Each structure stands twice: as structure tokens, then as C-alpha cells.
Amino acid sequence: MKVLGIETSCDETAASVVEDGRVLLSNVVASSMDLHAQYGGVVPEIAARSHIEAITPVISEALETAKCTWDDIDAIAVTYGAGLGGSLLIGVLTARSLAIAYDKPLYAINHVEGHLYANFLTDTTLPSYVLPGKQPEFPVLGLIVSGGHSQLVYFRDHFDYTLLGQTNDDAIGEAFDKVAKILGLPYPGGPSVSKKALEGNPQAFALPKAKLTNKYDFSFSGLKTAVLRLAQEQIGEDFTFPSTALSDRLSESQKADIAASFQRIAVETVVDKAVLAYEEFQPKTVIIGGGVASSPELRRQLSERLPLPLTYTDPKLCTDNGAMIATLGCYKAMLGADASDPYTLDIAPNLSM
Ligand code: KG4
Ligand code: ZN
């Protein structure tokens, strides 16, 4: 079973071929991130235009690298939500056209679910990928931590899951991106805050963790505001001092201590909930997905606090990619899930789990 996966929900135009839900045959990602960096965040119109330019060459390269012709492809999987409307449209319309032209079944994939399926890839023909030695065993506890999502999910089996908790406001990656802006660190904020934090003291400042009604929910907006107030305090100004002017006044060591203290608490916030859920549900495997899943601090804290051995996938499969979409597509096809009508499949920008 070979599935072509197409992903265009945000600023990455991505395509990949995956075999039998476990073998990665190609993974091509063209990012328009450089074009967004100067604005400090993704500009939807620029992202959509970039997808139009990149989608055909990206799909061709994914097939070529996988040494596949259209005859070898059994199905097409595409992200139909959640994401930016204009971006999703390009992927979905392309996938619909290809499914009709080549007469292939079409599977509509939820991007957030897809993130966790990167962990099912255990083999590859590609150089430079480090993959886990075995697949997750159900029941699985999944933590999705990305720029747009923070969710804790309990999977009894494929497609049979309960959403335990999610963010009430910002996603964890979004919090990293916003703190990076306050500290004058480059976009995307996750990697740059991570890097700066290496020079700082994670215990330098006490920052708050939100308490919520649902014990598995998260919140990051209070933490982000606390970082802003802390930065203002550090330079001897009050809350009226503009956030955009802070980074020029903070010393490098103040920035490093703030980055390290923020990272410790942001990561602890999600790890606390994962530990709580582990104790209640006793899953056989715990997996993480999404851009923040490549954070060394998150991996360190999880491995330290959970009593089972954890394996992590290659960081290239944590940020948005087509392989995770193709992998989930394989399971849909192999387990007989309903295919979508290629003439009517619509986008769902606000899709939830
Ligand atoms: O999964 P992803 O590529 O896109 C979404 O679906 O949102 O995640 C991107 C997010 C960004 O917010 C980025 O800052 C964050 O992942 N990120 C990290 C790290 N690498 C990427 N956050 C913390 N530490 C990292 N090392
Ligand atoms: Zn994502």
C-alpha cells in the first residue's frame, strides 16, 4: 500500500510517499518561512501564493524520490483542516484533481491527528533520518504541541480516541513565537528561544502556571503576559512600556535567563498534564507530535518524568510535513475507512479533533 500525502495547511508545501504506514519513501518540504520572517509571523496571502508555485514540483519530486509512477500509488491523502483557508484550498484542490485524473481513492486527513502519525514511521530508504525502532502500541497517549495546537489525546486504537484536554487560548508554539518577539529573537521563535535558553538559568525567574477547570487543559496567554511584565521589570519600566522596544534595552544575559525560565515553565505545563494522564490511563506508549516535539527540553522533561521508555521521531517529521499525512492515509486505506468524494471534498479551516 503506497500513499501519496499532501500537506499545505500553513506555510509548508509538502508531499511524501509512505508504504504500509511504516516505510518513508520520500519527504519533500518547500517552506515559505523566509518570506514570512520579516513580518514575524505567517502572512496567509503569501503562504497561499507560495503553495500555488510550489505544489506541482513538490509532488513530482516526492514521486521521483520514492521511485514511483502514478501506477504505483494506491491512494492520495490530503490535509483538509485545520489550517489557513487559502493554504488548505491549494492542497485539497490539487489532491481532488489528481484523484480524479488518476482514478485513486482520496482520504481527507485532520492535520492535528496527522502530527501523531509521524511516530508510526520506523523504516526509510532516505539518508539522514533517525526513526524509532518500533511502532507505538495501543493504547497510546498522544501529546500534540505545535504552532497552532496543544492537545492531549488518549487513543484506544486507530481512529478511536478521546480528546482529554487542549489549550484554552494560545498554542505552546505560539507562546514560544510571542516570547521570541519580546526578546527580539528571530522567527520562528521555538528554535531561537531554545537556543538562547542554553545560555541562561532556567531557575532565574519564577513564572506562573495556569490552573484550569479541566485538569488536562492548558493555557499559555497568562505565561506570555507574565514574560512581558518580567521583561519590563528587568529594565526598570512599568506595564506601559511598549513590548516592541524591550529587546534593545535587555542585556543578552537577561534575555537568556528569561528564555530559559519561560521554556522550563511552558514545557512543564504540558509535561505535568501528560504525567497526570499517564497515571490515570496507563497507556502502553506515549508519543509526541508537532513542531514543539523537536524541543530538546520537552524530550528531556518527558523522559525524566515518565516511567516508561520514550522514543522520539526525527525532528524533520515533527514540523509540518506530508509524511505524517501519508502515514495516516495508509491506515485509513488499510483499515477500510471511508474515502472522500473527489468532486465535493471541502476544506475545514476550524476542524477540531
Ligand atoms: O507543527 P508546526 O510546524 O506547525 C503547526 O502545525 O503549527 O509547528 C511550528 C511551531 C512553531 O511555533 C515553532 O516555534 C515551534 O513549532 N518549534 C519549537 C521548536 N522547533 C519548532 N518550539 C520549541 N522548541 C523547538 N525546538
Ligand atoms: Zn502542524
Side-chain angles (χ1 to χ4, degrees), residues 111 115 146 320:
H111 177 88
H115 265 302
S146 76
D320 291 349

Side-chain angles (χ1 to χ4, degrees), residues 9-10 12 111 115 145-149 172-174 176-177 188-191 194 263 290-296 318-320:
S9 67
C10 192
E12 272 92 16
H111 177 88
H115 265 302
V145 279
S146 76
H149 314 276
I172 182 170
E174 204 176 341
F176 270 89
D177 294 337
S194 265
Q263 177 176 255
V292 186
S294 56
S295 156
C318 292
T319 42
D320 291 349

Side-chain angles (χ1 to χ4, degrees), residues 149-348:
H149 314 276
S150 304
Q151 264 118 346
L152 191 60
V153 195
Y154 180 68
F155 281 79
R156 284 167 288 275
D157 202 344
H158 292 290
F159 325 135
D160 177 11
Y161 63 77
T162 303
L163 175 63
L164 302 178
Q166 58 189 329
T167 183
N168 286 5
D169 38 60
D170 295 348
I172 182 170
E174 204 176 341
F176 270 89
D177 294 337
K178 287 177 177 168
V179 166
K181 259 192 191 171
I182 294 172
L183 301 179
L185 302 173
Y187 175 85
S192 56
V193 169
S194 265
K195 193 165 157 230
K196 195 75 194 165
L198 291 174
E199 304 157 23
N201 172 9
Q203 306 290 344
F205 303 110
L207 289 163
K209 275 189 228 169
K211 289 206 171 44
L212 300 151
T213 327
N214 172 5
K215 63 179 175 177
Y216 294 123
D217 273 355
F218 318 105
S219 162
F220 293 100
S221 74
L223 175 58
K224 174 200 66 193
T225 308
V227 167
L228 175 61
R229 296 288 172 263
L230 171 64
Q232 288 162 330
E233 223 171 78
Q234 285 299 300
I235 58 160
E237 298 282 353
D238 70 7
F239 69 95
T240 57
F241 190 81
S243 63
T244 46
L246 276 167
S247 68
D248 289 342
R249 299 261 306 267
L250 288 165
S251 70
E252 290 308 308
S253 79
Q254 281 173 320
K255 287 183 191 179
D257 283 347
I258 295 174
S261 302
F262 157 76
Q263 177 176 255
R264 176 175 67 83
I265 293 295
V267 167
E268 252 179 56
T269 302
V270 293
V271 174
D272 285 351
K273 308 296 164 103
V275 171
L276 209 60
Y278 176 82
E279 284 163 358
E280 182 174 343
F281 295 95
Q282 297 288 313
K284 280 209 175 116
T285 319
V286 177
I287 55 176
I288 57 175
V292 186
S294 56
S295 156
E297 176 64 10
L298 175 62
R299 293 176 175 207
R300 188 190 66 75
Q301 285 196 25
L302 274 176
S303 294
E304 201 175 278
R305 291 182 54 195
L306 284 170
L308 76 176
L310 275 96
T311 47
Y312 303 105
T313 193
D314 195 289
K316 295 188 284 298
L317 297 173
C318 292
T319 42
D320 291 349
N321 63 81
M324 63 191 206
I325 304 305
T327 306
L328 178 47
C330 281
Y331 288 98
K332 293 221 171 194
M334 294 188 300
L335 299 172
D338 289 339
S340 295
D341 181 347
Y343 289 94
T344 58
L345 175 64
D346 203 358
I347 58 166

Side-chain angles (χ1 to χ4, degrees), residues 2-7 13-19 23-30 54-70 72-73 75-77 94 98 124-126 129 321-326:
K2 285 188 180 132
V3 173
L4 170 74
I6 299 172
E7 154 63 38
T13 315
S16 158
V17 180
V18 167
E19 187 170 13
V23 190
L24 178 66
L25 300 179
S26 63
N27 186 36
V28 182
V29 182
I55 190 99
T56 307
V58 163
I59 292 173
S60 301
E61 194 184 330
L63 291 172
E64 212 170 287
T65 307
K67 300 190 172 57
C68 285
T69 66
W70 281 105
D72 303 314
I73 297 295
I76 298 171
T94 305
L98 292 170
T124 184
T125 50
L126 303 174
Y129 279 80
N321 63 81
M324 63 191 206
I325 304 305

